[in-house]
Structure formats: C-alpha cells, structure tokens
Amino acid sequence: MTKVMGAAMRRIQAGNALTAFGIGFTVPFLYIYVAQVRGLGSMAATSAFVAFAVSALVALPLTGRVIDRRGPVPVVIGAAVAASAGALSLGLSTGIVPILLSALALGAGQAVMQPALATMIVWCSTPGTRTRAFALQFFMQNLGLGIGGLIGGQIVDESRPASFTLLFGIEAVMFLVLAGVILTVRIPHAPNIKDAVPRDESRSGGAWKRLLEHKAMVKLLVLGFVIFFACYGQFESGLAAFGTEAAGISPSTLGFALAANTGAIVVAQFVVLKLVEKRRRSRVIALVGLIWTGAWVIAGFSGLGHGSAMMAAAAFITTYALFGIGEAMLSPTLAPLVADLAPEGSVGQYNSAFALVKQMALALGPLGVPLGAGVPMLYIGVFIVVSLGIAWLALRLGKQLSAVQDRPSLLKGEAVPAVVVPAAEPERVPA
C-alpha cells in the first residue's frame, strides 16, 4: 500500500467510525422516542422503521450506477448531508408525517453511504490489504456503535424530549463531520486482481443485466441474503421474541446478550483475522454456517425449560456471542469478495447490489417473530437448517471462484497492476 493509499484509508476509517458513533446515539432509542416520548404509539414507531427500510430499497438500486459514473466521493457527501438533515429533523419532529419524512431521508442517506464507503475502501486498497481494511471498518463500526449507545443511554431522559433532540443533533453533526473528512480524501489508483474479473465489452444490456449474468456474483447475493436474514435479521426480532416468550429471558438479559455480541466482535476481530486471511473465503463462510448452527442449537436449549433461569440466560448470551464470532469472520471475507468479483468500473454497482440484498434480508427479518413467539422449537429448527444451508451455499460458491478470488493471499509477493480511477465526467443528456 502506498503512502497516498494509507493516508486516504485512515481518513475514511476515521470518518466511518465517527459516523457509527453518532448512529449509536439514536438507534437503541428510536422506538422509545417515537412511541413514548412523542406519544405516537407503537404503530407509528413501527412505521418509522418501515420507512427506513423502504427508503433504502428505493435508493440502493440507483446508487451503484451513480458511484461508478461520478465516483464515490460526491455520493458519500450527498448521502451524509441528506442523513444529517433527516436526523436533525427527526429530533425536532412531533407529528407522524414529519417523523416519517425524516426517517425516509435518514434511511436513504445511511443506505447510500454503505456501498459508496465500501467502494472508497476498495479504491484505496490492494487485493492483499483489502481483507484487513474491511475487518478494521467492521471493528470500528461496532466500537463506535457500542460507545455511542453507552453514552447516549446516560443522556436520554424519557421525561425530557430535549434530551432526545440532543442525541439526534449529535448524530446530525457526525454525518457532517464524515462529509468534511471525505472532502479531504485524495483517491489513489485502484489495484485489482489481474484477469480474475475480465470485463466483457461485447455484452449488451445495462449494468444490472450484466451483473445478473455473472453466476458467481448471483450465488454470492443469494448467500448474502441467507446470511443476513439468519443473523442480523433475527437479532432484534425473531430471536428476541423467542428469548422473551419461550426462554423467559428478561429485557436486561437481552441487553447483556447484545453486549456479548458486540464484545465478541471487538475482542475476536483481529485474532480471527489472522486465522482467516490466508484461508479460502468459501470455507471460512462455510465454517461460519456451522458455528451459527451451534448457536441456534444452544438457543434451543435455553428455551427447553429443563434448566434454571440462570442456565437459560447463559445459553442465550452464548448464542449472541457465537453470532458475534461468526460476524467477525465474515467482515474480512464478504465485502472484499464482492470487490474482487466486480469487473473494472463496476465496483459501485456490485457493492450497491450487495447492500440492497442486505436491506431486503433485514426488512424481511421480522417475519420470524410469529414463529419465535408462537412455535419456538419450529423456529429454532428452521434456522438450524438455514445455517447448515449457509455452509452448503458457501461451498457451492467456492466452485465458481478463481484461485485468487477464493484465497487472495496467493497474490502475496506478486506484482498487482494498478488501474487508474478515471475522473468523473458529467453525463451528457441527449437533446
């Protein structure tokens, strides 16, 4: 990695961490803010969460093309400004309509930032350093979210709406800080894997058509959907419902479980990195599927009612910690693989497609709530099968990858050609 790359990467990671810190101030308290502090009830709070998901699903299909044509820098800045306006407006809103409009702006801004920042990390790294770059991003995000949530919890007071306005104001400022930091980033050359992802200029059709013709990427998108639905999509919905209804877990124990998840990520991230960065990505993902299978089995034990309440709580906390270890293994694996599959000039499109799949999985995650609360053992059985499916899909994906895509450490010691990132040109509008 060159000095220019290193300087750019440090600024990107710093801005990313500060943004996560700001988001951590508000995410744990959004439901309470809308339903109780503003007195709008649970349906209004649920509608605000739906607005987040809808705005992401609408914005992301259009994002990739803009990133690839204009570059990620203006996209990050525009998204940060929109998110800042949404956050500040949300903190000042008292009615359902302004809250929903604010949530739409905030959700769209946050969603668009993800692939744009990921593209910047790709452009400022080499295939050999990309794994560590994304692992550091994930680590900093979780650390920022955890610290922000911890401090935010000391500030909020349900009897004082102004305390929530302060939290959203801090979040708005952090988005503007990100925009300011990104403005100072100098984008260097963007190395890629030679001949691993050739661009076929003879193919006709739009960017989405070409992406859907890429078999390895389609399999990765399917795998990504299953991963996000089985893990992130269940954390605060189906699994929480299972814990409180079937296992008798108290809200405070659920809080400890979430803390155990974050703690496992922060503690294990760089230890895990050393274990996975020289191994085949497909096999690392398959191992995550097996680890999560064990996590669901332990969760099922907590709901059987054969042990004490303390044993059930310990089993439930262990489940969340095992999910965290799996997340730590995936962070240096999935995002770099998306980048290494992308043809030259399509990194933004591929990152946006993967972010879209993630948002779809998160939006559908609450479908597990009725099973988790009403038929708990069936719920556990379904997700044991789904986790085993992750391992199977990962091994199938491995057969579609080239040697260096599956194990980029093979490039160590080899010269990797640099591809100059073209300056963004204004799009010509036909007369």
Side-chain angles (χ1 to χ4, degrees), residues 30-31 34-36 39-51 96 99-100:
L30 181 60
Y31 183 90
V34 177
Q36 299 179 15
L40 298 175
S42 60
M43 285 300 296
T46 302
S47 298
F49 284 109
V50 171
I96 181 62
I99 281 178
L100 291 180

Side-chain angles (χ1 to χ4, degrees), residues 305-322:
H306 295 324
S308 66
M310 185 174 294
M311 287 178 64
F316 200 72
I317 291 171
T318 301
T319 296
Y320 274 76
L322 287 174

Side-chain angles (χ1 to χ4, degrees), residues 191-251:
N192 68 347
I193 295 177
K194 183 180 180 181
D195 298 328
V197 282
R199 187 172 186 172
D200 188 352
E201 298 293 347
S202 66
R203 287 186 179 180
S204 59
W208 277 102
K209 183 174 183 248
R210 291 194 297 272
L211 185 150
L212 294 174
E213 290 173 349
H214 190 169
K215 291 182 180 179
M217 185 59 189
V218 171
K219 287 189 175 182
L220 180 58
L221 291 175
V222 172
L223 175 59
F225 178 87
V226 177
I227 286 172
F228 292 122
F229 181 74
C231 177
Y232 302 94
Q234 302 307 310
F235 270 4
E236 296 177 7
S237 58
L239 189 53
F242 169 84
T244 54
E245 296 293 335
I249 301 299
S250 67

Side-chain angles (χ1 to χ4, degrees), residues 273-288:
L273 178 62
K274 291 182 180 180
L275 298 175
V276 306
E277 63 181 344
K278 293 184 181 180
R279 288 167 173 78
R280 293 183 182 180
R281 287 166 167 168
S282 57
R283 293 185 180 179
V284 170
I285 299 171
L287 179 57
V288 170

Side-chain angles (χ1 to χ4, degrees), residues 158-378:
E158 293 178 41
S159 64
R160 291 191 305 113
S163 67
F164 287 84
T165 302
L166 175 61
L167 293 190
F168 285 105
I170 293 171
E171 182 182 26
V173 169
M174 290 298 103
F175 285 127
L176 294 180
V177 169
L178 172 66
V181 170
I182 296 302
L183 272 173
T184 69
V185 173
R186 179 186 170 191
I187 300 292
H189 297 151
N192 68 347
I193 295 177
K194 183 180 180 181
D195 298 328
V197 282
R199 187 172 186 172
D200 188 352
E201 298 293 347
S202 66
R203 287 186 179 180
S204 59
W208 277 102
K209 183 174 183 248
R210 291 194 297 272
L211 185 150
L212 294 174
E213 290 173 349
H214 190 169
K215 291 182 180 179
M217 185 59 189
V218 171
K219 287 189 175 182
L220 180 58
L221 291 175
V222 172
L223 175 59
F225 178 87
V226 177
I227 286 172
F228 292 122
F229 181 74
C231 177
Y232 302 94
Q234 302 307 310
F235 270 4
E236 296 177 7
S237 58
L239 189 53
F242 169 84
T244 54
E245 296 293 335
I249 301 299
S250 67
S252 61
T253 300
L254 182 59
F256 280 118
L258 290 168
N261 174 262
T262 302
I265 292 170
V266 171
V267 172
Q269 183 66 82
F270 294 103
V271 175
V272 166
L273 178 62
K274 291 182 180 180
L275 298 175
V276 306
E277 63 181 344
K278 293 184 181 180
R279 288 167 173 78
R280 293 183 182 180
R281 287 166 167 168
S282 57
R283 293 185 180 179
V284 170
I285 299 171
L287 179 57
V288 170
L290 296 179
I291 291 172
W292 286 357
T293 300
W296 284 107
V297 169
I298 294 172
F301 171 79
S302 72
L304 289 175
H306 295 324
S308 66
M310 185 174 294
M311 287 178 64
F316 200 72
I317 291 171
T318 301
T319 296
Y320 274 76
L322 287 174
F323 273 117
I325 292 172
E327 291 174 74
M329 295 170 68
L330 290 174
S331 64
T333 306
L334 288 177
L337 181 54
V338 173
D340 290 343
L341 284 173
E344 179 190 337
S346 298
V347 175
Q349 183 71 38
Y350 276 53
N351 279 327
S352 294
F354 199 71
L356 177 61
V357 163
K358 179 179 179 180
Q359 289 296 329
M360 290 173 63
L362 294 179
L364 294 174
L367 292 177
V369 171
L371 274 182
V375 196
M377 288 303 113
L378 176 60

